[in-house]
């Protein structure tokens, strides 16, 4: 009888231990893996694009959670620049930590592009040449890349990332992208690599391709040169971020040789408002893109991750 009681006590302790371990696991999990998710779509490729996280880990987590419920089997996630608010080590460590924490919810392929804030430390007014290189090295370590511009293939589709080679320095201001002649030649080579007429080519640049001639921010002094290269490939879909403007159906621009798409922002959105200081206000929206590809047809969907609602859906085929 005594032995039986001992066995009962041991069994109870084991059950309590199992329940406790499951509770701890759920507490540490970023999202309940039993949450209802959509079925993984039967498509050739699917990926998400997040712009301007600025190390806002709370918003980033919400976007990760919602994207997982949309499609738990996406093939890639693109962080399209300004992943950190300042290019300092503790912010990169913060981003690395949340990515690692969510490894079960994120795709294996995460493409990390450089923005203008990767060149910032608010304690440094103007970067020296050596400081610019230090910021680049920190980004390269975070991204796992050899250069600020790089490419990869996902499910036999080409992803090409452009990136500024300078920032917040004596030779470039704090918002523009510098796309060197070497990078431009590299872009020409990559666009021609395994080219198939009609097959989409996904190109990414944090800054928009504006030269300021029509007003607005100057995205790059080399905007005209880059556009001339991309104009030869109607299959190109260029994703840009940077402006923090709202994500709407008009964010997809089709009436040009190649398609351009604004990604929205994870950190905050700038809304024009004549009654606010500076004629604008910041809203805590969390918006980004979800993309599906079947053959040469691309479907781009704008998503409000905070409200868990679709904003628009557009089909692109050239």
């Amino acid at each position: 009888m005594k032995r039986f009681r001992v066995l009962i006590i041991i069994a109870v302790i084991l059950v309590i231990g199992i329940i406790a371990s499951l509770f701890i696991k759920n507490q540490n999990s970023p999202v309940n893996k039993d949450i209802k998710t959509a079925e993984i779509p039967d498509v050739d490729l699917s990926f998400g694009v997040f712009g301007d996280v600025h190390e806002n880990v709370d918003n980033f987590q919400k976007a990760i959670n919602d994207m997982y419920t949309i499609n738990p089997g996406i093939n890639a996630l693109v962080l399209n620049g300004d992943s950190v608010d300042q290019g300092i080590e503790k912010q990169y460590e913060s981003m690395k930590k949340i990515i690692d924490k969510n490894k079960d919810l994120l795709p294996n392929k995460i493409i990390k592009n450089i923005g203008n804030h990767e060149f910032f430390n608010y304690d440094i007014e103007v970067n020296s040449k050596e400081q610019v290189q230090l910021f680049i090295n920190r980004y390269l370590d975070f991204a796992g890349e050899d250069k600020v511009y790089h490419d990869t293939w996902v499910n036999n589709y080409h992803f090409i990332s452009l990136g500024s080679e300078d920032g917040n320095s004596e030779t470039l201001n704090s918002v523009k992208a510098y796309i060197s002649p070497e990078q431009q030649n590299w872009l020409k080579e990559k666009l021609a690599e395994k080219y198939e007429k009609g097959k989409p080519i996904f190109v990414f640049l944090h800054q928009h391709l504006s030269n300021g001639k029509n007003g607005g921010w100057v995205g790059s002094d080399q905007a005209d040169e880059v556009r001339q290269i991309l104009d030869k490939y109607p299959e190109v879909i260029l994703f840009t971020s940077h402006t923090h403007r709202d994500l709407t159906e008009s964010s997809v621009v089709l009436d040009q040789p190649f398609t351009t798409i604004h990604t929205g922002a994870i950190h905050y959105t700038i809304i024009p408002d004549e009654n606010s200081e500076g004629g604008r206000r910041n809203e805590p929206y969390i918006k980004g893109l979800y993309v599906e590809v079947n053959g040469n047809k691309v479907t781009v969907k704008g998503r409000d991750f905070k409200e868990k609602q679709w904003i628009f859906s557009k089909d692109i085929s050239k």
Side-chain angles (χ1 to χ4, degrees), residues 185-231:
N185 288 332
W186 173 87
L187 175 61
K188 293 175 185 177
E189 294 172 0
K190 289 301 176 180
L191 289 169
E193 185 177 303
K194 300 180 184 178
Y195 169 76
E196 294 181 29
K197 185 176 177 58
K199 185 174 183 177
I201 304 170
F202 303 109
V203 181
F204 303 86
L205 175 63
H206 176 71
Q207 287 89 341
H208 51 295
L209 286 183
S210 172
N211 53 22
K213 293 178 181 177
N214 297 317
W217 298 1
V218 176
S220 173
D221 291 328
Q222 294 77 43
D224 289 344
E225 291 87 340
V226 174
R227 277 190 175 277
Q228 288 174 10
I229 296 169
L230 297 179
D231 279 347

Side-chain angles (χ1 to χ4, degrees), residues 280-302:
R280 65 183 195 178
R281 69 180 192 275
N282 295 345
E283 291 289 346
Y285 301 151
I286 309 173
K287 297 184 178 182
L289 302 174
Y290 169 68
V291 183
E292 289 184 348
V293 186
N294 256 319
N296 294 345
K297 178 185 175 183
V298 178
T299 301
V300 179
K301 298 182 179 183

